[in-house]
Amino acid sequence: MWGVMIHGIRRMCVAGLALACTATLAACSHSDNSRQSNVSGIVKIGVLAPSTGGDQGSGRDTQRGAELARSFINAGKEWPGYQPGQIWGPSGHARLSVVTLDTKNDQQHAADEAATLAADRDVAGIVGALDSDATLDASQRAERLQTPFINGDAPLTALTERGLDWFFRAGPDAADYGGAVLSLFRNIEQQRQVAQRVAVLYSNDATGDDLRSTVAEFVEDAGNPIVASAPYEPEGTELPAAVATIRAAAPDVVLTTASSGTGEKIGDAFRAGGYIPPEVVVYGAPVEASRLTEVPGFEVRVSRQAPWSPTIARANPLAAVATERYQQDFGTPMTTNAAMAFTTATILARAIMDADSIDRERVRSALVALDLPGNATIMP
């Protein structure tokens, strides 16, 4: 298994494909389980996720993933790189509690709820907040309140380029995605002996601009001509004009962002314009890529970034146990958002254990120092 560095104060590593990703964090020796811990009672961590608004399903999965992590930790389950006995589990003196607040997929509300978790709910750290824009503002608020914030699900490159001391990433970003796209293009070009002509259909928001600037640079450097670049509003009001621009360029591959609620709209706009691209590569919410594939004509034309998948995860014993338990507890397969929440919650719990404290400065220092092998997380 191979890992991707957790990006903390600054971007530390951009290598690797985004089609498979693990979190590795930094290095701390195991504590002596025989001595008494300084941590006891209920230890709270905060989770930011949308439970109302346009992405309740993803928010539900995020909360479930964090709750599954809580149950594993409190039950004292042990896996590579993780020994819960000193603080967590039946032989410990602390119990992990998950406090989830609703971001409503809104930047300001996400920031306010981050402040509530830090100031009023007395959490040791925060994980979330799914949406890139919401994560930007929420993590900025957590920075001012000096509260550790771990994100695993928002791929926005700018998140780790702000010089923040309290923000950490445990998932792929746009540069990782760009490397995966280049690998995809090379495989296609080896088969067809021709460079892929690329069009970029991007939402007029932070995620869309990230795709346009980062991924476009990758494909240009590789010699893939960008024949069209068209923005649209996330509400979808400008999609017909943007799709017309793409159609006129007749690209081999369309790279597109799919923010909340846009997957089906993108497919419908192409169909209404009488054009379905030969190949579409989606950057953004996995659920929106799935919705795009459900539009007639797109069934076998869509690829997407996949930081986690049940098929690959089965090779990891911890992931196999987690996915089986998730199915048992919630009656549905584990999703990417659930897996990311499980991962970030266990990372935060491990940092608390290594710090032997819920003091936020000490937890932050433990995150900086943490180093987990790939098999110590459920990410493939």
Side-chain angles (χ1 to χ4, degrees):
M1 289 192 173
W2 44 281
V4 175
M5 287 295 293
I6 187 168
H7 306 292
I9 298 174
R10 288 175 181 79
R11 181 177 185 77
M12 299 173 65
C13 173
V14 297
L17 303 183
L19 296 181
C21 171
T22 69
T24 57
L25 292 161
C28 203
S29 61
H30 298 308
S31 302
D32 181 1
N33 286 343
S34 64
R35 68 178 181 83
Q36 182 70 36
S37 169
N38 294 320
V39 180
S40 62
I42 301 298
V43 177
K44 294 182 285 187
I45 64 171
V47 175
L48 290 173
S51 56
T52 59
D55 204 8
Q56 300 99 312
S58 297
R60 175 203 61 216
D61 293 347
T62 296
Q63 182 171 0
R64 286 175 172 177
E67 290 289 350
L68 182 64
R70 177 196 58 76
S71 66
F72 269 45
I73 291 164
N74 288 341
K77 286 188 178 294
E78 184 174 325
W79 56 81
Y82 187 85
Q83 296 177 345
Q86 182 191 334
I87 292 178
W88 313 115
S91 60
H93 298 280
R95 293 292 179 270
L96 191 67
S97 175
V98 173
V99 181
T100 304
L101 294 184
D102 180 13
T103 66
K104 299 183 179 180
N105 258 7
D106 176 80
Q107 289 177 260
Q108 183 60 53
H109 197 78
D112 291 343
E113 295 296 66
T116 298
L117 287 170
D120 299 336
R121 301 298 182 91
D122 197 28
V123 299
I126 299 171
V127 301
L130 207 63
D131 175 75
S132 291
D133 290 327
T135 302
L136 270 172
D137 286 15
S139 58
Q140 194 71 49
R141 187 72 62 88
E143 182 79 8
R144 292 204 295 270
L145 295 170
Q146 296 189 331
T147 302
F149 194 111
I150 307 176
N151 173 263
D153 37 47
L156 185 67
T157 307
L159 288 169
T160 44
E161 295 182 346
R162 297 171 293 169
L164 301 187
D165 290 331
W166 296 79
F167 180 81
F168 300 86
R169 162 176 275 145
D173 65 7
D176 299 309
Y177 171 73
V181 168
L182 282 183
S183 295
L184 176 65
F185 286 173
R186 290 185 184 119
N187 289 336
I188 295 173
E189 288 162 4
Q190 286 175 358
Q191 298 172 16
R192 302 177 184 175
Q193 300 298 310
V194 62
Q196 297 297 287
R197 300 168 68 255
V198 179
V200 183
L201 176 66
Y202 64 97
S203 51
N204 189 19
D205 56 15
T207 301
D209 189 61
D210 203 32
L211 172 75
R212 181 189 57 79
S213 60
T214 304
V215 179
E217 180 181 347
F218 268 71
V219 297
E220 285 181 332
D221 288 347
N224 296 97
I226 297 180
V227 296
S229 183
Y232 70 92
E233 292 300 322
E235 294 79 12
T237 54
E238 298 180 1
L239 270 171
V243 165
T245 299
I246 301 297
R247 178 184 181 182
D252 299 306
V253 180
V254 174
L255 304 182
T256 185
T257 51
S259 53
S260 178
T262 61
E264 186 176 0
K265 290 179 182 178
I266 290 171
D268 290 343
F270 275 114
R271 281 176 54 83
Y275 170 71
I276 297 178
E279 312 229 15
V280 181
V281 183
V282 178
Y283 170 62
V287 65
E288 299 303 332
S290 297
R291 288 169 180 164
L292 178 58
T293 63
E294 293 171 0
V295 176
F298 283 86
E299 297 91 337
V300 296
R301 299 172 186 255
V302 178
S303 302
R304 67 172 178 87
Q305 61 174 352
W308 184 87
S309 86
T311 302
I312 300 174
R314 290 192 189 101
N316 179 335
L318 171 61
V321 171
T323 54
E324 181 179 345
R325 175 67 178 274
Y326 189 92
Q327 177 77 48
Q328 174 185 323
D329 286 0
F330 303 112
T332 187
M334 197 172 203
T335 65
T336 296
N337 291 322
M340 282 294 194
F342 182 97
T343 299
T344 50
T346 52
I347 285 169
L348 184 51
R350 169 62 189 266
I352 293 168
M353 183 179 73
D354 285 350
D356 193 19
S357 174
I358 58 172
D359 176 78
R360 292 171 183 171
E361 179 62 55
R362 294 184 65 178
V363 173
R364 190 199 77 85
S365 296
L367 284 167
V368 171
L370 191 58
D371 186 8
L372 298 179
N375 66 352
T377 80
I378 68 168
M379 306 307 290

